[in-house]
């Protein structure tokens, strides 16, 4: 009991660490949005492009009465949500404009929020027209250069890509080498940042639209306009509404003066008070009333700021090399009011995730630790009835706690972001679904099997995540174990927090299925059953069109092979151990190359990385991910505890007797698949930590499911309920054929 309680307390500590580390993780720890390998078809004849930035513009700022021009544009054209993807989760306006400049995450300052003043702009432009301008910060004339500031983050921005003024092709091998027309007009300071060359030169600059913008907008194929920032909400909310009305009138002037065949983008480029999902509207050929989409997110209506640069270059008929973004396109939509309600809900869900994640994991950790500790304290003793109650209590507490990840995903079946009290609704739905999963696991016919209830929870969790990634990853968005939208790291596939429960759930489910087949006396059937589960779990994870998870594939493939080897009775020699260790890397490399050669297999960041390797630009990506992984260990003062806990559990698996973990030792003796299962889970956790850029967060996120279920299995095997004894039967004939011995407990 005390051993199980200690494990539960350790779970609580590490679970809290995982939640807080995930909350504090910087944007650079995320996975870069995928590059689109295949070029989309042209959307129609585009003669000019006008990009209008209104920093902080949200869908709550746009209405028929307050901003009629923006509303009319949204009614007849395509709408969406824009996630500003800069270096940090909070994207200052200057950071966002520099991201548009290079098509890669960028920042104007090496300091975290709050935002510093934007870089100084030097220009002689007046109301009479345009004039050359200069941004001294680009080449370091006023201190550290923008290039030096961005170097530590390893996103490798190639300055001047949008304006076609990149003159450093040697340092930007992924960009097209063919020069193109460089005529572009910047209106406003943010626009100057977007169209600056690597040396800081802006060829055509105007401070504002002036009295007659028609000639100004027609002067060049590309015009970028900065209409300023909306004030923060709060006591000055009236000022924000006034600023939005002024911006709407300016947009009306631009739309009226735009040349025929112009593609117009109105976007909330940059945050002004807190990170938000902003509004974006695109008007022009191929963009009628619709909902925006992009391969970078695969989510309806959602695009990212790094998509703007390749989209604009594509419209102008220019190559965009191997930029990380995708070309924005349009899909059909229903009524505008319904579409805007959905887009507002995306921001609401993102805010709920940001504001409540730390509290969720803290409460979750305390509740699990308290539950196991309470059982250990109140149900001590060796009496038959007390043992029975203790076993039942441990099983109920463990199954209930381990069901929470599955319940949190199922909560997204309801559009809680569009309803009142969204945070309360999210966590209420998560608890309700968790209760359903727990009841199924505790009351089904499998409950008589010591592995049954735990295997049921593992199978449900793995199945939910696998089916979700196959169908678009909609259940993971903005849920506690899912994908954080504002981090702008990943919008599809298996998220870093979901990887741990997914791997542990799949391994426990495979062990449960194999154990059931072994009791029937067939090692071949056990191997086939567990192998099919492993293939399904790995395919959903590794396939670029679905999970697209590099670190997960590298971690889970060796773990499943270790488990299958134990089931098959295969001895692990040093050579076999080496092959198993690199098996995940081999599998994901094969998928990546296949996807790059045949894009129909599924284009994602996995296949895009092959393109970076071919073009010689993979170094910054690997460097960034390695730095993010190392940084995860020192994210806070308590994250170094995670490696200690991992090492402790490794020792517990190897030497339970020496550590006087008598219950665990007895369980390993009675259930021969338990040690292979624990070894596989430990292997997946360690390799997930080492192979993923989120580092220890992956391992920490595995513990909420793995540890309670291990406690349940150990308790039921080592101290079974007396009611289960009549179901025991003799060992089957296969027991003597290999190193995996028949379990004494046969159900």
């Amino acid at each position: 009991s005390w051993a199980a309680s200690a494990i539960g307390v350790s779970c609580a500590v590490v679970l809290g660490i995982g939640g807080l580390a995930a909350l504090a993780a910087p944007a650079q720890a995320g996975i870069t949005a995928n590059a689109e390998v295949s070029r989309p078809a042209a959307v129609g004849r585009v003669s000019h492009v006008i990009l209008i930035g209104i920093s902080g513009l949200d869908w709550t700022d746009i209405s028929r009465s307050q901003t009629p021009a923006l509303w009319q544009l949204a009614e007849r054209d395509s709408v969406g949500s824009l996630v500003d993807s800069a270096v940090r989760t909070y994207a200052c306006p200057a950071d966002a404009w520099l991201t548009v400049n290079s098509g890669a995450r960028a920042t104007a300052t090496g300091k975290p929020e709050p935002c510093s003043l934007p870089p100084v702009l030097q220009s002689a432009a007046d109301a009479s027209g345009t004039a050359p301008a200069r941004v001294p910060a680009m080449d370091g004339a006023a201190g550290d250069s923008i290039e030096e500031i961005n170097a530590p983050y390893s996103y490798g921005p190639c300055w001047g890509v949008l304006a076609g003024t990149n003159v450093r092709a040697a340092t930007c091998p992924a960009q097209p080498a063919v020069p193109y027309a460089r005529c572009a007009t910047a209106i406003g300071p943010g626009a100057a940042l977007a169209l600056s060359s690597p040396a800081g030169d802006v060829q055509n600059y105007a401070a504002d639209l002036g009295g007659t913008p028609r000639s100004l907008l027609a002067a060049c194929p590309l015009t970028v306009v900065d209409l300023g920032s909306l004030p923060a909400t709060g006591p000055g909310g009236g000022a924000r509404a006034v600023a939005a009305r002024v911006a709407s009138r300016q947009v009306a002037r631009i739309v009226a003066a735009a040349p025929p065949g112009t593609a117009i983008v109105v976007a909330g480029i940059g945050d002004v008070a807190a990170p938000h999902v902003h509004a974006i509207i695109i008007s022009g050929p191929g963009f009628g009333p619709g909902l925006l989409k992009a391969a970078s997110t695969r989510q309806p209506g959602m695009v990212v700021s790094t998509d703007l640069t390749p989209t604009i270059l594509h419209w102008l008929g220019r190559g965009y090399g191997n930029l990380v973004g995708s070309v924005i396109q349009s899909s059909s939509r229903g009524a505008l009011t319904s579409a805007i309600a959905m887009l507002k809900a995306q921001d609401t869900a993102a805010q709920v995730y940001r504001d409540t994640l730390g509290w969720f994991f803290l409460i979750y950790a305390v509740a699990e630790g308290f539950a196991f500790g309470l059982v250990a304290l109140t149900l001590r003793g060796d009496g038959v009835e007390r043992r029975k109650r203790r076993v039942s209590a441990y099983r109920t507490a463990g199954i209930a706690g381990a069901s929470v990840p599955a319940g949190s995903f199922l909560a997204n079946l309801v559009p809680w972001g569009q309803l009142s009290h969204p945070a309360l609704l999210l966590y209420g739905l998560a608890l309700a679904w968790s209760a359903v999963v727990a009841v199924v696991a505790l009351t089904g016919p499998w409950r008589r099997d010591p592995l049954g209830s735990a295997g049921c929870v593992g199978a449900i969790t793995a199945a939910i995540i696998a089916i979700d990634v196959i169908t678009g990853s909609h259940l993971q968005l903005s849920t506690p174990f899912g994908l954080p939208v504002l981090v702008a790291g990943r919008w599809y596939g298996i998220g870093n927090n979901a990887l741990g429960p997914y791997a542990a759930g799949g391994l426990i489910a495979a062990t449960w299925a194999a154990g059931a087949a072994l009791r029937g006396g067939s090692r071949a059937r056990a191997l086939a059953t567990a192998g099919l589960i492993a293939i399904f779990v790995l395919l959903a994870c590794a396939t670029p069109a679905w999970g697209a998870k590099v670190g997960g594939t590298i971690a889970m493939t060796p773990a499943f092979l270790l488990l299958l080897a134990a089931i098959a009775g295969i001895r692990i020699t040093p050579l076999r151990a080496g092959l198993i260790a690199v098996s995940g890397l081999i599998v994901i490399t094969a998928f990546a190359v296949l996807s790059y050669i045949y894009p129909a297999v599924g284009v994602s960041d996995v296949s895009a990385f092959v393109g970076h390797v071919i073009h010689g630009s993979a170094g910054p990506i690997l460097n960034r991910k390695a730095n993010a992984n190392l940084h995860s260990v020192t994210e806070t003062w308590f994250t170094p505890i995670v490696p200690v806990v991992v090492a402790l559990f490794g020792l517990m698996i190897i030497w339970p007797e020496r550590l006087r973990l008598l219950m665990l030792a007895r369980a390993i003796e009675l259930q021969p698949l338990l040690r292979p299962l624990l070894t596989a889970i430990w292997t997946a956790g360690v390799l997930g930590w080492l192979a993923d850029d989120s580092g220890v967060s992956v391992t920490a996120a595995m513990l909420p499911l793995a540890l309670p279920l291990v406690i349940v299995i150990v308790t039921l095997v080592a101290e079974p309920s007396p009611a289960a004894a009549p179901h025991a039967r003799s060992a089957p004939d296969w027991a003597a054929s290999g190193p995996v011995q028949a379990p004494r407990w046969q159900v």
Side-chain angles (χ1 to χ4, degrees):
S1 299
W2 285 106
S5 177
I7 295 176
V9 173
S10 300
C11 174
V13 172
V14 180
L15 186 56
I17 292 171
L20 294 175
L23 180 64
Q28 67 194 62
I31 300 177
T32 305
N34 62 290
E36 193 169 56
V37 176
S38 60
R39 299 299 187 247
V43 298
R45 179 174 176 78
V46 175
S47 59
H48 291 73
V49 176
I50 301 176
L51 171 61
I52 305 170
I54 307 172
S55 296
L57 180 68
D58 302 330
W59 280 110
T60 54
D61 300 310
I62 300 174
S63 66
R64 188 187 301 274
S65 58
Q66 293 294 319
T67 55
L70 291 174
W71 184 266
Q72 291 172 12
L73 204 64
E75 279 187 318
R76 69 170 188 257
D77 298 301
S78 298
V79 299
S81 293
L82 177 69
V83 180
D84 283 307
S85 175
V87 166
R88 302 177 185 88
T89 301
Y90 185 92
C92 299
D95 301 348
W97 284 113
L98 286 172
T99 297
V100 174
N101 176 300
S102 62
R105 293 175 185 253
T107 183
T109 176
K111 301 177 181 179
E113 56 183 279
C115 299
S116 59
L117 294 175
V120 176
L121 179 67
Q122 299 174 349
S123 175
D126 54 30
S128 61
T130 63
R134 189 166 184 276
V135 183
M138 292 298 293
D139 64 356
D144 291 340
S145 69
I146 296 295
E147 184 172 353
E148 292 171 336
I149 291 173
N150 283 270
Y153 302 105
S154 301
Y155 284 106
C158 296
W159 310 111
V161 169
L162 180 63
T165 56
N166 191 298
V167 295
R168 301 181 182 178
T171 60
C172 301
Q175 305 312 318
V178 179
Y180 48 81
R182 298 176 179 177
C183 182
T185 302
I187 304 175
L193 288 178
L195 294 178
S196 171
S197 72
D201 297 322
V202 182
Q203 295 184 354
N204 302 292
Y205 176 75
D208 52 50
L209 288 171
T212 55
R214 187 176 300 276
S215 59
L216 186 63
L217 299 176
C220 292
L222 173 60
T223 303
V224 180
V225 184
D226 176 15
L227 293 183
S229 301
L230 300 183
T233 56
R240 183 181 179 93
V242 171
R245 286 196 296 269
V246 171
S248 179
R249 288 194 290 267
Q250 293 288 71
V251 170
R253 294 183 62 205
I254 294 172
V255 172
T262 298
I264 300 175
V265 181
V266 181
I269 298 179
D271 299 311
V272 295
H276 276 274
V277 177
H278 298 297
I280 180 172
I281 307 171
I282 297 183
S283 170
F287 288 88
L291 198 63
L292 298 177
K293 64 177 183 178
S296 58
T297 68
R298 301 186 189 175
Q299 298 296 337
M302 189 173 291
V303 299
V304 65
S305 58
T306 48
D307 293 332
L308 294 173
T309 307
T311 300
I312 292 171
L313 295 179
H314 171 69
W315 288 340
L316 296 175
R318 304 169 180 174
Y320 51 90
N322 206 28
L323 294 177
V324 298
S326 302
V327 171
I328 300 172
Q329 297 175 304
S330 180
S331 59
S332 61
R333 74 160 191 245
L336 176 62
T337 53
S338 298
I340 291 180
M342 184 199 73
L343 299 176
K344 287 180 179 179
Q346 290 177 338
D347 182 49
T348 299
Q351 299 305 315
V352 169
Y353 181 98
R354 175 175 174 267
D355 294 338
T356 65
L357 182 69
W359 286 107
F360 165 78
F361 276 106
L362 180 61
I363 294 172
Y364 185 13
V366 171
E368 278 202 334
F370 177 79
F372 285 114
L374 185 65
V375 172
L377 289 173
T378 60
L379 296 177
R380 299 176 62 187
D382 295 328
V384 173
E385 186 62 27
R386 185 164 289 267
R387 286 175 55 203
K388 180 179 178 180
R389 292 171 59 192
R390 183 169 60 239
V391 170
S392 177
Y394 271 131
R395 184 172 71 162
T396 301
I399 294 301
S403 299
V404 171
S408 69
F409 293 125
L410 292 175
N412 258 0
L413 291 173
V414 176
W416 51 269
Q418 299 184 36
L419 305 174
S420 301
H421 308 293
L424 183 62
L425 191 57
L426 165 64
Y427 294 111
L429 288 168
L431 289 177
W433 278 113
S434 300
V436 171
V437 173
V439 168
V440 170
L442 290 170
T443 60
W446 40 77
R447 69 187 184 279
R448 293 181 175 275
D449 186 340
L451 296 177
S453 294
C456 179
V457 173
I460 291 174
T461 304
I464 288 172
I465 297 175
I467 294 172
D468 182 46
V469 300
I470 292 173
T471 57
S473 302
H474 305 305
L475 297 183
Q476 292 187 65
L477 282 186
S478 298
T479 52
F481 285 91
L483 300 165
V485 170
L486 293 175
V487 173
R490 173 183 283 269
W491 297 268
Y492 63 86
I494 299 177
N496 296 329
N497 284 348
L499 175 58
Y502 182 64
L507 289 166
I508 293 172
T511 305
W512 170 39
L518 287 175
R519 283 195 303 276
S522 174
R523 186 192 297 271
R525 187 180 303 165
L527 184 62
T529 304
L532 287 175
I533 294 175
I535 291 172
F536 173 72
V537 170
L538 289 172
L539 279 178
C541 177
T543 304
W546 296 340
K549 190 64 174 172
V550 174
T553 306
I554 293 175
M556 287 194 296
T557 305
F560 272 111
L561 288 178
L562 287 174
L563 180 61
L564 293 174
I567 295 171
I570 297 176
R571 180 171 169 267
I572 304 297
T573 64
L575 177 60
R576 289 170 180 168
L579 292 175
I580 289 174
V582 299
S583 59
L585 188 60
I586 294 172
V587 170
I588 197 62
T589 300
F591 272 105
V593 173
L594 182 65
S595 176
Y596 184 80
I597 297 175
Y598 302 103
V601 173
V603 178
S604 72
D605 54 339
V606 177
S607 52
F609 181 74
V610 177
H612 285 290
V613 172
I614 293 174
H615 291 91
S617 56
I621 297 175
L622 292 174
N623 183 57
R624 181 179 70 252
K625 292 182 180 294
N627 287 336
N629 188 298
L630 292 173
H631 181 66
S632 71
V633 181
T634 58
E635 186 70 37
T636 64
W637 64 269
F638 46 76
T639 45
I641 299 175
V642 177
V644 176
V645 173
V646 170
L648 175 61
F649 279 105
L651 294 176
M652 290 170 60
I653 297 170
I654 299 173
W655 297 314
E657 298 89 351
R658 295 186 186 182
L659 298 177
R660 299 192 63 79
L661 300 173
L662 302 183
M663 184 181 293
L664 178 60
R666 176 172 172 79
I668 289 175
E669 177 187 359
L670 295 175
Q671 175 52 263
L673 289 181
L674 180 57
R675 177 169 271 158
L677 171 62
L678 296 178
T679 303
I681 292 176
W682 186 86
T683 300
V686 171
L687 292 182
W689 163 21
L690 298 177
D692 199 278
D693 51 5
S694 286
V696 295
S697 296
V698 174
T699 307
M702 176 184 285
L703 297 176
L705 182 138
L707 286 182
L709 295 186
V710 168
I711 293 172
V712 171
I713 295 172
V714 169
T715 305
L716 290 176
V717 171
E719 195 174 33
S721 170
H727 297 278
R729 61 176 182 264
S730 59
D733 295 337
W734 56 263
S737 62
V740 177
Q741 299 300 315
R744 297 185 188 178
W745 263 105
Q746 303 294 337
V747 180

